[in-house]
Amino acid sequence: MGGFPILSVMLLVPLLAAVACLFVEAKAARTIALAATLIDLALGVVLWLNFDIGGPQWQFTEHAPLFAGFNYALGIDGIAMLLIVLSVFLMPICILASHSIEKRVSEYMAAFLFMEVLMIGVFAAQDLFLFYMLFEGVLIPMYLIIGIWGGQNRIYAAYKFFLYTLLGSVLMLIAMLWMVNEAGTTDIPTLMQYDFPPAAQTWLWLAFFASFAVKMPMWPVHTWLPDAHVQAPTAGSVILAGVLLKMGGYGFIRFSLPMFPEASAQFVWLIWGLSMAAVVITSLIALVQQDMKKLIAYSSVAHMAIVTVGLFAFNVQGLEGAMIVMLSHGLVSGALFLCVGVIYDRLHTREIDRYGGLAINMPKYALFFLLFTMASIGLPGTSGFVGEFLSLAGIYQANTWVTLVCATGIILGAGYMLYLYWRIAFGVQKNADAAAMPDLSLREWLMLGPIAAAVLWMGVYPESFLAPMRQDIAALDARLSRAAPEGDAHLVAGTPHAEAANAVGGTHDAGHGEAEGAH
Amino acid sequence: MQILLIVFLPLLAAIVAGLGNRALGNTVAKSLTTGALFVSCALSWPIFLGFLNGTAEAHVVPVLQWVQSGTLSFDWALRVDTLTAVMLVVITSVSALVHLYSWGYMDEDPDQPRFFAYLSLFTFAMLMLVTADNLVQMFFGWEGVGLASYLLIGFWFKKPSANKAAIKAFVVNRVGDLGFMLGIFGTFLVFQTTSIPEILAAAPGMSGSSIGFLGMRLQTMDILCILLFIGAMGKSAQLGLHTWLPDAMEGPTPVSALIHAATMVTAGVFMVCRLSPMFETAPVALGMVTFIGAATCFFAATIGTTQWDIKRVIAYSTCSQLGYMFFAAGVGAYGAAMFHLFTHAFFKALLFLGAGSVIHAMHHEQDMRYYGALRKHIPFTFWAMMAGTLAITGVGVYWLHAGFAGFHSKDAILEVAFARGTELGTFAFWMGAIAALLTSFYSWRLMFLTFWGKPRWAGSEHIQHAVHHGHDEPEEHNPPAQEDAGDEVTHHVPSPEHGDGTAGYHPHESPLTMLVPLGLLALGAVFAGWVFSHAFLDDPAFWGDSIFYNEALIHQMHAVPLWVKLTATIVMLIGLFGAWFAYIRDTSIPGKFVEQFSLLHNFVYRKWYFDELYDLIFVRPAFWFGRQFWKRGDVGLIDRFGPDGAAWVVAKGTVAAKKVQSGYLYSYALVMLLGLVAAVTWVLM
């Protein structure tokens, strides 16, 4: 790519578009927003195609010192690249999904575009404080989206969202300040190689954990998520589930693990314990939900727990699995929220019992919904399986108890998702208004079709997604290896048996007294 | 390259028919899927015959890289060897015939493209399962058939009972899949590969080692095989994880024939056979396989004797026959297990399709209490069912070495279990013998109730409906939910004008599209045992390396005493006589028996109360805990003392605090800014 500052351009395009949106009326704002996000998507594809797999760890780097201690430093590795591509992929879809927004459209579009700037920035930032600013800043447009364009109870939801994230961010900031003071740099790649004293790692890790656990979200600091999802407009939910939750996982993979390996190992049971609790508890909660969005929100918490156990499995499969779960969940839960949005736009209720029998009047919709349901359940051939399988394969090498408990998620997940699918798409058409809903429009096809293709692609040929991050994960794994806890399943060699279990006749049948034909 | 066509043609057909759906039209969708299956079938038989006459060689066709993560890697690839070839002909033959049969059976259904797309999708997934070269692809097929099974059980998705059955099937299977998955993880941990040939080659070397599992230290191979076998138990509906199979009968009958009799449910047996060299290094796991198989074959057979729904009888029969296959594998006779799988596929598919033909003739009535005397009305179906019954009960003459399919395969399993000589083997032998008696009893009971005696059709609501609303008018697309079979009261609608019990109804023989598959499968039920017995049981060259072939055991099998060899035939005759006595000679006997032993009858009739038990200890608590965790945990505890508590404090606090709350966004931005200023200052210092 030579010296073309593609990352800056990717930030600049939506930023300019956001400003432009504020000065035009609704229709033009929609067009500008769609165009800008499509340009960014195109740039994202260029970014992916030009990403040199096996090349230097940090690519497309840009660096410019600003005032004081601040640096404008961008650069990405494979992990960040994939998350950026996920973000720019979902954005045009979100704009399309915002069709039903009629209140203050220009501001709405500006908020979304501004959010895109911040999201790309978070994954591209190489300066600690730049990261912090963007990481916290991304919440502001989200607050606005929930608080202004949300449902009836939007103020409560936005407030809860605020309270939780505030708690984490203050602690993280203090930790960052200490780190910069200690290491003498704000450069993230340098900090990732810096060995902090183990004693300090402990509290630094906890401070970061407070922030990332809320973002993830991990049980029991997850209760903001169902409310935020329920109140947010469809596109807000898509971005929230698709990208914002991934920032927690990205935080763990970029900061907690490489910067504090010893502390990460020290707190491994905290993570495992909370993850196990999350899988079981939130899956059971999802089973009894009456509100579609709440159900999917709770299932998100359970899926994110699979990410955290994968990350803290301390091996390649776990890390790569966690990354794939993040990407997959970004697509699948985003798509599920879109599916909810499609029927919400028609009937204006999220109550599951108001629907039923949609497979009759909306067969195309039912097919998409089925695909995403199956991907959420982790059916092989879809993206959900690859991530879940690798994550659990990773954690198995670390602890079998954790694996068993977390793997119950595949049973419970099947339970609540199929139960949901039955009540929405199968069964009889209980309500005339639901039965009269038309099938997918072209716009809705354009939203769901690309995600469906991506979900299948990632399920059948995940190599496209594994290859870019392979080297980065290997580096992280190497850094973690010194602290990795020993697995409980390890093999102890023994003396092989001389013969097969059912050997009879010619060879003597040791241990089995009863001779053949004795009766 | 044939194998690529065999596997992917059904997928292609499924995609086209499924996406085209109604736009494509019934005939196109049906022709496409059925045609694809007949091509697959035609390509499969030469492969099988090639292995039969020794000209074919095992090979693997790579398709696409799948996952590579560190040392864990697995690809899409199609493996063809003897074991696969056997499964190929079973799957494609039965599937092709079931596709054809469905032309007639589903003729009045408005959703035919969807149905045929599902059938073809299922076939694809099943083929992926049996051609898998690594455990993960096997798992892909495993879950793929689970999906297809879910969709087909719930095909008539307006019925609540069909939805429940579909979800139950998927979720119960997932319990098994959890075991399968843990087994794969453990296998990878031990062998650092998921490639089946590599695992099988390395397995004997691991037989004395140990690994940790849930804090215990266990024999490596035993725990791995047990975990994998739990997966097999789920898919093959073995004792404990069997509860989904009878409910799966909610699906259309062709589905029951293809998925829940001939192919998918045998995947567990296939898996144990595929991994037989691995299981042979795990004596404890094999003991478990033997025990579970023997227990299931007995348990399911008892229930089969009491059910009234014709499909449920056959479903329990399937469950029971799968038990035979498992204990055959458990004692080391993998060839015999596969042989029974092979013959069973034909005669059980035949029985199901025959039952479908009966149901078709009886206007969707499935309760055998309202059948009777159908022999002369649907003679072709009768003779086809007769062939199936002779096959499943194992009719044959020992001294001539000739009999129907089951005679060759089931008798071999009983003999080999006895010949194995261990306590478990002997236990399996006796269980199998008792189950054979029960099999004969319930199979003939089914035949006598359906085809003999006097017509009892007048009691059936379905028949009444057909008579009073005209036979030719389009029926409701989705048959109404089946009444609980025990619920007699609602069914009895006396018909004054026809004293002969027919209610004026005239059953019709099924159309040709349904009869041709019946005829072809009947040929299989009659000849499959006799023709292939030598290759499957006695020919190590036929199997090659594809399964663990225990030659010494087979020699002992042929050397068992005469009474053992005659046991199966004797119990078959006792069962036949019992059924004849109770259902033809003196039809008051069953009623008296039920009255006399109501406790026992209820226990068996209620399927040993498994469903009630699981409902009590799993389903209800799951929902109860879900509500508690939500209402008391999230809302009552976390929110109350978390954000809401904070809000309460703020609300009670000062005016200044209120300002913070109302202008939270700005204050948040302020905190950030202040923090950053502090940061800058610090860094600069």
Side-chain angles (χ1 to χ4, degrees):
Chain A
M1 282 307 285
F4 183 68
I6 187 165
L7 290 171
S8 289
V9 175
M10 286 179 79
L11 294 175
L12 207 59
V13 170
L15 187 64
L16 292 177
V19 175
C21 274
L22 290 173
F23 295 99
V24 298
E25 39 74 64
K27 198 154 183 289
R30 287 184 202 275
T31 317
I32 291 175
L34 188 61
T37 50
L38 283 174
I39 293 172
D40 250 24
L41 173 58
L43 288 169
V45 173
V46 173
L47 190 74
W48 190 355
L49 294 177
N50 285 282
F51 186 84
D52 180 12
I53 295 169
Q57 186 180 7
W58 301 98
Q59 304 185 16
F60 307 104
T61 51
E62 296 170 35
H63 191 272
L66 298 178
F67 59 91
F70 288 105
N71 288 300
Y72 178 77
L74 301 179
I76 51 170
D77 61 354
I79 296 169
M81 189 274 288
L82 289 168
L83 289 165
I84 289 177
V85 170
L86 174 69
S87 309
V88 296
F89 176 72
L90 287 175
M91 275 311 287
I93 295 170
C94 284
I95 302 296
L96 284 176
S98 304
H99 196 70
S100 57
I101 298 286
E102 274 153 15
K103 186 172 82 172
R104 301 167 76 174
V105 177
S106 307
E107 285 96 331
Y108 177 90
M109 293 297 163
F112 260 91
L113 289 166
F114 188 52
M115 192 148 62
E116 179 168 25
V117 178
L118 296 172
M119 289 185 317
I120 298 172
V122 165
F123 297 128
Q126 283 206 312
D127 180 89
L128 199 58
F129 290 121
L130 183 66
F131 170 83
Y132 179 76
M133 228 163 54
L134 298 165
F135 186 80
E136 300 301 335
V138 80
L139 301 171
I140 295 175
M142 200 64 216
Y143 294 144
L144 295 174
I145 287 165
I146 296 174
I148 299 175
W149 293 276
Q152 296 92 342
N153 208 3
R154 55 183 182 261
I155 300 297
Y156 175 71
Y159 160 74
K160 228 173 171 179
F161 187 27
F162 155 74
L163 205 72
Y164 269 115
T165 35
L166 180 72
L167 169 87
S169 70
V170 172
L171 291 172
M172 185 168 79
L173 180 61
I174 295 168
M176 282 182 170
L177 293 171
W178 192 90
M179 283 160 67
V180 173
N181 196 38
E182 159 85 17
T185 176
T186 58
D187 184 45
I188 292 175
T190 315
L191 286 167
M192 284 168 69
Q193 301 299 323
Y194 190 86
D195 294 320
F196 290 98
Q201 278 189 26
T202 305
W203 78 264
L204 289 172
W205 189 94
L206 282 172
F208 275 86
F209 171 74
S211 183
F212 299 148
V214 169
K215 284 278 185 324
M216 207 69 205
M218 294 179 74
W219 187 87
V221 288
H222 66 284
T223 63
W224 62 270
L225 186 72
D227 282 306
H229 269 310
V230 165
Q231 299 304 330
T234 301
S237 287
V238 174
I239 285 298
L240 188 57
V243 184
L244 261 53
L245 300 191
K246 309 301 168 291
M247 290 184 179
Y250 179 74
F252 280 123
I253 213 169
R254 179 67 76 231
F255 297 91
S256 303
L257 286 168
M259 294 185 193
F260 323 121
E262 278 81 11
S264 294
Q266 188 187 340
F267 286 110
V268 86
W269 271 104
L270 175 67
I271 296 277
W272 289 351
L274 294 183
S275 302
M276 287 192 286
V279 168
V280 176
I281 292 175
T282 55
S283 293
L284 288 172
I285 294 178
L287 205 55
V288 296
Q289 293 307 309
Q290 296 298 325
D291 180 311
M292 288 186 278
K293 275 190 152 182
K294 248 188 186 160
L295 195 156
I296 300 168
Y298 273 111
S299 85
S300 289
V301 182
H303 281 118
M304 286 297 113
I306 304 291
V307 174
T308 42
V309 288
L311 290 176
F312 286 82
F314 289 82
N315 52 46
V316 174
Q317 288 84 31
L319 290 164
E320 292 189 343
M323 270 302 292
I324 296 286
V325 175
M326 286 207 275
L327 295 173
S328 161
H329 179 263
L331 296 170
V332 174
S333 70
L336 285 171
F337 280 117
L338 288 172
C339 284
V340 173
V342 164
I343 51 177
Y344 181 82
D345 283 350
R346 288 162 171 67
L347 212 59
H348 299 287
T349 177
R350 295 179 309 269
E351 203 183 319
I352 295 169
D353 288 340
R354 290 278 284 111
Y355 298 91
L358 294 190
I360 299 165
N361 54 316
M362 302 176 73
K364 300 273 189 293
Y365 171 79
L367 184 64
F368 274 115
F369 194 16
L370 179 71
L371 173 68
F372 298 128
T373 299
M374 286 300 152
S376 174
I377 291 174
L379 195 83
T382 65
S383 57
F385 171 72
V386 179
E388 218 171 69
F389 184 83
L390 288 178
S391 244
L392 292 173
I395 191 67
Y396 188 93
Q397 297 165 55
N399 193 287
T400 47
W401 266 113
V402 180
T403 318
L404 179 71
V405 174
C406 289
T408 57
I410 71 163
I411 303 170
L412 296 169
Y416 62 73
M417 285 311 290
L418 294 181
Y419 186 39
L420 172 71
Y421 193 76
W422 169 17
R423 289 178 291 171
I424 300 278
F426 287 165
V428 290
Q429 296 173 310
K430 283 178 293 192
N431 298 300
D433 47 0
M437 299 195 302
D439 209 345
L440 297 180
S441 68
L442 178 67
R443 181 179 60 84
E444 288 158 345
W445 263 97
L446 290 174
M447 283 155 41
L448 297 175
I451 304 188
V455 164
L456 289 174
W457 178 12
M458 203 185 283
V460 174
Y461 190 69
E463 179 64 13
S464 309
F465 305 88
L466 286 166
M469 64 170 147
R470 184 163 290 136
Q471 191 182 294
D472 306 313
I473 297 286
L476 179 57
D477 183 55
R479 182 154 171 82
L480 288 173
S481 61
R482 66 167 191 236
E486 199 198 352
D488 69 338
H490 64 273
L491 182 76
V492 176
T495 323
H497 306 311
E499 59 194 28
N502 277 314
V504 284
T507 53
H508 63 98
D509 192 5
H512 301 293
E514 203 171 340
E516 60 273 5
H519 288 270
Chain B
M1 287 306 106
Q2 281 162 305
I3 189 69
L4 287 172
L5 281 177
I6 294 172
V7 174
F8 289 105
L9 266 183
L11 174 67
L12 209 64
I15 292 173
V16 174
L19 294 183
N21 209 335
R22 281 169 212 177
L24 212 60
N26 282 351
T27 315
V28 179
K30 281 153 69 177
S31 312
L32 209 66
T33 48
T34 312
L37 255 300
F38 272 96
V39 172
S40 279
C41 182
L43 291 171
S44 295
W45 277 94
I47 295 181
F48 174 67
L49 294 176
F51 282 103
L52 204 60
N53 61 28
T55 53
E57 271 191 33
H59 61 281
V60 177
V61 179
V63 178
L64 186 72
Q65 183 184 1
W66 191 3
V67 167
Q68 202 217 316
S69 172
T71 50
L72 174 58
S73 72
F74 39 87
D75 296 338
W76 301 103
L78 305 177
R79 176 179 188 77
V80 185
D81 59 11
T82 312
L83 188 62
T84 304
V86 171
M87 294 304 286
L88 282 182
V89 292
V90 167
I91 296 162
T92 56
S93 305
V94 177
S95 181
L97 294 176
V98 164
H99 272 76
L100 181 62
Y101 179 92
S102 304
W103 281 64
Y105 192 83
M106 301 298 285
D107 194 35
E108 285 156 355
D109 200 282
D111 259 342
Q112 293 177 55
R114 188 163 63 91
F115 182 78
F116 280 81
Y118 288 169
L119 279 185
S120 293
L121 177 71
F122 165 79
T123 312
F124 160 72
M126 191 71 206
L127 290 170
M128 287 298 276
L129 195 165
V130 298
T131 54
D133 193 40
N134 62 63
L135 289 174
V136 190
Q137 186 182 324
M138 191 188 275
F139 192 72
F140 166 83
W142 200 263
E143 295 273 289
V145 293
L147 167 68
S149 162
Y150 160 79
L151 291 170
L152 284 164
I153 295 169
F155 180 74
W156 285 317
F157 59 74
K158 287 180 192 163
K159 290 163 67 180
S161 55
N163 277 300
K164 266 186 207 150
I167 294 181
K168 186 175 178 184
F170 200 96
V171 173
V172 173
N173 265 296
R174 277 260 156 153
V175 177
D177 294 347
L178 174 62
F180 194 169
M181 243 167 125
L182 292 178
I184 297 177
F185 298 152
T187 308
F188 168 67
L189 182 93
V190 171
F191 297 101
Q192 288 296 303
T193 176
T194 59
S195 156
I196 292 170
E198 286 173 32
I199 292 167
L200 298 184
M206 288 293 173
S207 55
S209 64
S210 71
I211 54 170
F213 186 71
L214 303 183
M216 299 170 281
R217 197 131 269 287
L218 302 167
Q219 287 289 310
T220 305
M221 296 317 295
D222 279 322
I223 183 64
L224 292 184
C225 289
I226 286 173
L227 287 171
L228 292 168
F229 177 62
I230 290 172
M233 282 173 66
K235 197 78 5 190
S236 293
Q238 293 299 288
L239 190 59
L241 295 178
H242 67 282
T243 55
W244 64 271
L245 183 60
D247 288 14
M249 296 303 123
E250 286 291 341
T253 306
V255 172
S256 313
L258 175 61
I259 300 185
H260 305 121
T263 54
M264 183 184 86
V265 288
T266 61
V269 181
F270 167 79
M271 181 227 259
V272 174
C273 291
R274 170 61 90 205
L275 301 176
S276 49
M278 183 174 171
F279 274 81
E280 282 295 322
T281 63
V284 177
L286 275 175
M288 181 174 163
V289 174
T290 311
F291 178 79
I292 296 280
T296 308
C297 93
F298 166 73
F299 149 85
T302 61
I303 300 179
T305 59
T306 60
Q307 300 299 308
W308 290 115
D309 185 315
I310 187 169
K311 284 181 72 182
R312 279 186 186 249
V313 173
I314 308 178
Y316 279 106
S317 159
T318 304
C319 198
S320 170
Q321 299 298 313
L322 290 166
Y324 281 102
M325 299 174 207
F326 273 115
F327 79 68
V331 299
Y334 303 97
M338 284 307 294
F339 187 37
H340 197 51
L341 188 161
F342 182 77
T343 59
H344 174 259
F346 293 109
F347 63 69
K348 190 52 68 69
L350 172 64
L351 284 170
F352 260 121
L353 293 183
S357 184
V358 172
I359 295 167
H360 191 260
M362 293 301 283
H363 210 82
H364 295 296
E365 179 56 75
Q366 293 183 203
D367 194 323
M368 297 189 295
R369 279 170 297 188
Y370 307 119
Y371 288 174
L374 287 170
R375 194 172 61 224
K376 293 189 190 93
H377 296 273
I378 43 174
F380 193 89
T381 304
F382 165 69
W383 283 110
M385 290 285 278
M386 183 56 99
T389 305
L390 293 171
I392 191 175
T393 54
V395 173
V397 183
Y398 167 69
W399 289 275
L400 296 177
H401 291 286
F404 294 90
F407 167 77
H408 293 276
S409 55
K410 184 160 65 176
D411 290 22
I413 287 177
L414 287 177
E415 287 164 24
V416 83
F418 185 86
R420 180 64 186 86
T422 60
E423 280 166 22
L424 263 173
T426 312
F427 167 76
F429 168 75
W430 285 111
M431 280 293 165
I434 299 169
L437 193 158
L438 296 171
T439 304
S440 173
F441 177 81
Y442 66 65
S443 299
W444 288 111
R445 170 177 176 266
L446 184 154
M447 289 300 284
F448 294 150
L449 280 172
T450 306
F451 294 107
W452 269 270
K454 292 201 172 73
R456 302 180 297 276
W457 317 335
S460 160
E461 276 185 345
H462 297 270
I463 296 295
Q464 291 288 350
H465 185 264
V467 171
H468 295 301
H469 297 271
H471 194 47
D472 293 328
E473 97 182 26
E475 326 170 7
E476 66 273 54
H477 306 312
N478 301 329
Q482 282 302 309
E483 309 276 341
D484 184 7
D487 213 357
E488 280 178 72
V489 192
T490 55
H491 262 284
H492 270 291
V493 188
S495 170
E497 60 264 53
H498 297 278
D500 59 354
T502 62
Y505 182 74
H506 299 287
H508 289 293
E509 186 60 283
S510 300
L512 208 59
T513 46
M514 289 168 70
L515 297 182
V516 169
L518 284 181
L520 290 174
L521 286 171
L523 288 180
V526 175
F527 296 111
W530 181 67
V531 173
F532 296 109
S533 154
H534 175 75
F536 276 79
L537 293 175
D538 301 322
D539 191 0
F542 169 66
W543 288 112
D545 291 332
S546 65
I547 60 168
F548 181 91
Y549 188 84
N550 195 336
E551 220 168 339
L553 184 67
I554 298 302
H555 284 305
Q556 289 193 2
M557 178 184 95
H558 289 302
V560 293
L562 186 62
W563 70 266
V564 173
K565 295 185 175 181
L566 291 179
T567 302
T569 309
I570 294 164
V571 294
M572 180 269 293
L573 290 172
I574 297 173
L576 168 61
F577 179 74
W580 172 80
F581 202 83
Y583 291 95
I584 296 216
R585 174 78 199 283
D586 181 0
T587 48
S588 67
I589 289 178
K592 285 182 197 155
F593 180 87
V594 168
E595 221 165 274
Q596 191 76 37
F597 302 99
S598 62
L599 214 64
L600 175 69
H601 176 262
N602 251 327
F603 179 69
V604 177
Y605 183 68
R606 292 279 165 201
K607 308 155 222 162
W608 296 32
Y609 293 105
F610 265 99
D611 282 328
E612 287 82 353
L613 184 71
Y614 284 178
D615 191 52
L616 194 71
I617 59 176
F618 295 121
V619 182
R620 281 165 198 277
F623 280 88
W624 186 82
F625 275 113
R627 276 188 295 273
Q628 298 304 313
F629 281 134
W630 181 29
K631 289 291 183 193
R632 284 175 197 262
D634 272 24
V635 178
L637 217 65
I638 299 174
D639 278 356
R640 186 166 162 216
F641 295 107
D644 296 355
W648 183 81
V649 170
V650 170
K652 290 274 169 185
T654 59
V655 182
K658 267 184 189 162
K659 268 185 189 159
V660 172
Q661 193 194 1
S662 58
Y664 61 86
L665 186 59
Y666 305 102
S667 58
Y668 183 63
L670 190 71
V671 168
M672 257 183 71
L673 261 180
L674 285 176
L676 281 172
V677 171
V680 178
T681 326
W682 195 359
V683 170
L684 286 181
M685 277 170 10

Coordinates of all heavy atoms in Angstrom, one line a residue, chain A residues 256-280:
Chain A
S256 N -4.7 -7.3 28.8 CA -4.6 -8.2 29.9 C -3.6 -9.3 29.7 O -2.7 -9.6 30.5 CB -5.9 -8.7 30.4 OG -6.8 -7.6 30.6
L257 N -3.8 -10.0 28.6 CA -3.0 -11.3 28.4 C -1.5 -11.0 28.1 O -0.7 -11.4 28.8 CB -3.6 -12.1 27.3 CG -4.9 -12.9 27.8 CD1 -5.6 -13.5 26.6 CD2 -4.6 -14.0 28.8
P258 N -1.2 -10.2 27.1 CA 0.2 -10.0 26.8 C 0.9 -9.1 27.8 O 2.1 -9.3 28.0 CB 0.2 -9.3 25.4 CG -1.2 -8.7 25.3 CD -2.1 -9.5 26.1
M259 N 0.2 -8.1 28.4 CA 0.9 -7.2 29.3 C 1.1 -7.8 30.7 O 2.1 -7.6 31.4 CB 0.2 -5.9 29.4 CG 0.3 -5.1 28.0 SD -0.5 -3.5 28.1 CE -0.6 -3.1 26.4
F260 N 0.1 -8.6 31.1 CA 0.2 -9.2 32.5 C 0.0 -10.7 32.4 O -1.0 -11.2 33.0 CB -0.9 -8.6 33.4 CG -1.2 -7.1 33.1 CD1 -2.4 -6.7 32.7 CD2 -0.2 -6.2 33.2 CE1 -2.7 -5.3 32.5 CE2 -0.4 -4.8 33.0 CZ -1.7 -4.4 32.6
P261 N 0.9 -11.4 31.8 CA 0.7 -12.9 31.7 C 0.6 -13.6 33.1 O -0.2 -14.4 33.3 CB 1.9 -13.4 30.9 CG 2.7 -12.2 30.6 CD 2.1 -11.0 31.2
E262 N 1.5 -13.1 34.0 CA 1.5 -13.8 35.3 C 0.2 -13.6 36.0 O -0.4 -14.5 36.6 CB 2.7 -13.3 36.2 CG 4.0 -14.0 35.9 CD 4.7 -13.4 34.7 OE1 4.2 -12.3 34.2 OE2 5.6 -14.0 34.2
A263 N -0.3 -12.3 36.0 CA -1.5 -12.0 36.7 C -2.7 -12.8 36.0 O -3.6 -13.2 36.7 CB -1.8 -10.5 36.7
S264 N -2.6 -12.9 34.7 CA -3.7 -13.6 34.0 C -3.8 -15.0 34.5 O -4.9 -15.6 34.7 CB -3.4 -13.6 32.5 OG -3.5 -12.3 32.0
A265 N -2.6 -15.6 34.7 CA -2.6 -17.0 35.1 C -3.1 -17.1 36.6 O -3.8 -18.0 37.0 CB -1.2 -17.6 35.0
Q266 N -2.7 -16.1 37.3 CA -3.1 -16.0 38.7 C -4.6 -15.9 38.9 O -5.2 -16.5 39.8 CB -2.5 -14.8 39.3 CG -2.6 -14.6 40.8 CD -2.0 -13.2 41.2 OE1 -1.3 -12.6 40.5 NE2 -2.4 -12.8 42.4
F267 N -5.3 -15.2 38.0 CA -6.7 -15.0 38.1 C -7.5 -15.9 37.2 O -8.7 -15.6 37.0 CB -7.1 -13.5 37.8 CG -6.7 -12.6 38.9 CD1 -5.7 -11.7 38.7 CD2 -7.4 -12.6 40.1 CE1 -5.3 -10.8 39.7 CE2 -7.0 -11.7 41.1 CZ -6.0 -10.8 40.9
V268 N -6.9 -17.0 36.8 CA -7.5 -17.8 35.8 C -8.8 -18.4 36.4 O -9.8 -18.5 35.7 CB -6.5 -18.8 35.3 CG1 -6.5 -20.1 36.2 CG2 -6.8 -19.2 33.9
W269 N -8.8 -18.7 37.6 CA -10.1 -19.3 38.2 C -11.2 -18.3 38.4 O -12.4 -18.6 38.3 CB -9.8 -20.0 39.5 CG -9.4 -21.4 39.3 CD1 -8.1 -22.0 39.3 CD2 -10.3 -22.5 38.8 NE1 -8.2 -23.3 39.0 CE2 -9.5 -23.6 38.6 CE3 -11.6 -22.6 38.6 CZ2 -10.0 -24.9 38.2 CZ3 -12.2 -23.8 38.1 CH2 -11.3 -24.9 38.0
L270 N -10.8 -17.0 38.5 CA -11.8 -16.0 38.6 C -12.6 -16.0 37.2 O -13.8 -16.0 37.2 CB -11.2 -14.7 38.9 CG -12.1 -13.4 38.8 CD1 -13.1 -13.5 40.0 CD2 -11.4 -12.1 38.9
I271 N -11.8 -15.9 36.1 CA -12.4 -15.9 34.8 C -13.2 -17.1 34.5 O -14.3 -17.1 34.1 CB -11.2 -15.7 33.7 CG1 -10.5 -14.4 33.9 CG2 -11.8 -15.9 32.4 CD1 -11.2 -13.2 33.3
W272 N -12.6 -18.3 34.8 CA -13.2 -19.5 34.5 C -14.5 -19.6 35.3 O -15.6 -20.0 34.8 CB -12.3 -20.7 34.9 CG -11.2 -20.9 33.9 CD1 -11.0 -20.3 32.8 CD2 -10.1 -21.8 34.1 NE1 -9.9 -20.7 32.2 CE2 -9.3 -21.6 33.0 CE3 -9.7 -22.7 35.1 CZ2 -8.1 -22.4 32.8 CZ3 -8.6 -23.4 34.9 CH2 -7.7 -23.3 33.8
G273 N -14.4 -19.3 36.6 CA -15.6 -19.4 37.5 C -16.8 -18.5 37.0 O -17.9 -18.9 36.8
L274 N -16.4 -17.2 36.7 CA -17.5 -16.3 36.2 C -18.0 -16.8 34.8 O -19.2 -16.7 34.6 CB -16.9 -14.9 36.1 CG -16.5 -14.2 37.4 CD1 -16.0 -12.8 37.1 CD2 -17.7 -14.2 38.3
S275 N -17.1 -17.3 34.0 CA -17.6 -17.8 32.7 C -18.5 -19.0 32.9 O -19.6 -19.1 32.2 CB -16.4 -18.2 31.8 OG -15.5 -17.1 31.7
M276 N -18.1 -19.9 33.7 CA -19.0 -21.1 33.9 C -20.4 -20.6 34.5 O -21.4 -21.1 34.0 CB -18.4 -22.1 34.9 CG -17.2 -22.8 34.4 SD -16.7 -24.2 35.4 CE -15.9 -23.3 36.7
A277 N -20.3 -19.7 35.4 CA -21.6 -19.2 36.0 C -22.4 -18.6 34.9 O -23.6 -18.8 34.8 CB -21.3 -18.2 37.1
A278 N -21.7 -17.8 34.0 CA -22.4 -17.1 33.0 C -23.1 -18.1 32.0 O -24.3 -17.9 31.7 CB -21.5 -16.2 32.2
V279 N -22.4 -19.1 31.6 CA -23.0 -20.0 30.6 C -24.2 -20.7 31.2 O -25.3 -20.7 30.5 CB -21.9 -21.1 30.3 CG1 -22.6 -22.3 29.5 CG2 -20.8 -20.6 29.4
V280 N -24.1 -21.2 32.4 CA -25.3 -21.9 32.9 C -26.4 -20.9 33.3 O -27.5 -21.1 32.9 CB -24.9 -22.7 34.2 CG1 -26.1 -23.4 34.8 CG2 -23.8 -23.7 33.8

